[in-house]
Amino acid sequence: MKKILTASAAALAAVIALSGCSTSPDAGSMEGMDHGSSAMSTTQPPAIGANHNAADTMFAQMMLPHHSQAVEMSDIMLAKPSLDAKIIALAKDIKTAQAPEISTMTNYLSAWGESTAMTGDHSMAGMMTSADLDKLKAAQGTEAAKLFLTQMTAHHKGALEMAKTEVADGKNADAVTLAKSIVSSQEAEINDMKELLAAL
């Protein structure tokens, strides 16, 4: 009788664990998503695909190279001598904010079972061309500062478009929260950059 009760309790615990996969507040993370998946199926667990939609995937896939370019542009500026301290601080702030977000979005895509690379041809607003980056690399002093502020403002506006689309169309709560944070922080940085540009 004791063995039967133990087995029943174990079965009940397994059912509770499995049902918790779809209702857990951590459904957006890897934790709590795998319970019993190997026993049920060798294919992708439904929980991974159930907590995001195409808009979430597109947001992360497009924002990764977009953020990476912002970090690259900041690195270009930080390598230049004799820059205004405010420009240096801005470039460092952009790196500090966007580098961790790159890691976060990469983790999202991994958890969703999605590739980090986009399929098809998708244009991203605000992206600089190779020629744009070459101009930034060649520029020095005040010219470099003005070019950086102009380019980064356009770059941020492109990010705002993608983030606002995610807020409107996304399903994954974590991704939508990140998008809202990007909108808030980059709108503030755009205002700061306009003031810096006007002062040069």
Side-chain angles (χ1 to χ4, degrees):
M1 186 66 180
K2 184 177 180 180
K3 289 182 180 178
I4 293 172
L5 289 173
T6 302
S8 298
L12 179 60
V15 171
I16 292 172
L18 284 170
S19 65
C21 291
S22 61
T23 57
S24 168
D26 294 326
S29 67
M30 290 301 289
E31 294 180 12
M33 296 199 321
D34 296 345
H35 305 303
S37 61
S38 60
M40 293 181 65
S41 174
T42 57
T43 59
Q44 178 174 297
I48 292 179
N51 68 348
H52 79 289
N53 61 14
D56 297 317
T57 300
M58 184 61 65
F59 165 69
Q61 288 177 339
M62 293 179 72
M63 198 64 83
L64 281 177
H66 206 273
H67 268 30
S68 295
Q69 189 177 76
V71 171
E72 180 185 2
M73 292 165 68
S74 298
D75 280 335
I76 290 171
M77 291 303 291
L78 293 172
K80 295 182 183 295
S82 305
L83 278 180
D84 185 291
K86 292 181 180 178
I87 301 297
I88 294 174
L90 173 64
K92 287 182 177 179
D93 286 345
I94 290 171
K95 281 192 65 175
T96 299
Q98 298 199 24
E101 289 174 353
I102 290 171
S103 178
T104 296
M105 288 183 286
T106 300
N107 289 338
Y108 287 166
L109 290 167
S110 176
W112 299 336
E114 302 282 1
S115 171
T116 55
M118 291 178 289
T119 56
D121 184 21
H122 300 280
S123 61
M124 288 172 284
M127 287 290 282
M128 297 298 111
T129 65
S130 296
D132 292 329
L133 295 179
D134 287 342
K135 288 179 182 178
L136 186 61
K137 291 174 184 176
Q140 299 296 328
T142 302
E143 180 191 356
K146 288 181 178 179
L147 188 57
F148 175 68
L149 293 170
T150 302
Q151 289 182 346
M152 192 60 79
T153 296
H155 199 270
H156 272 26
K157 287 180 178 178
L160 288 179
E161 285 184 24
M162 292 187 285
K164 288 178 179 179
T165 297
E166 168 63 10
V167 171
D169 301 335
K171 177 181 179 182
N172 183 271
D174 291 333
V176 171
T177 297
L178 175 60
K180 289 179 179 178
S181 175
I182 289 172
V183 170
S184 176
S185 63
Q186 296 205 16
E187 281 182 339
E189 284 180 346
I190 287 173
N191 289 332
D192 290 342
M193 288 189 288
K194 287 179 178 178
E195 291 180 5
L196 288 171
L197 189 57
L200 291 176

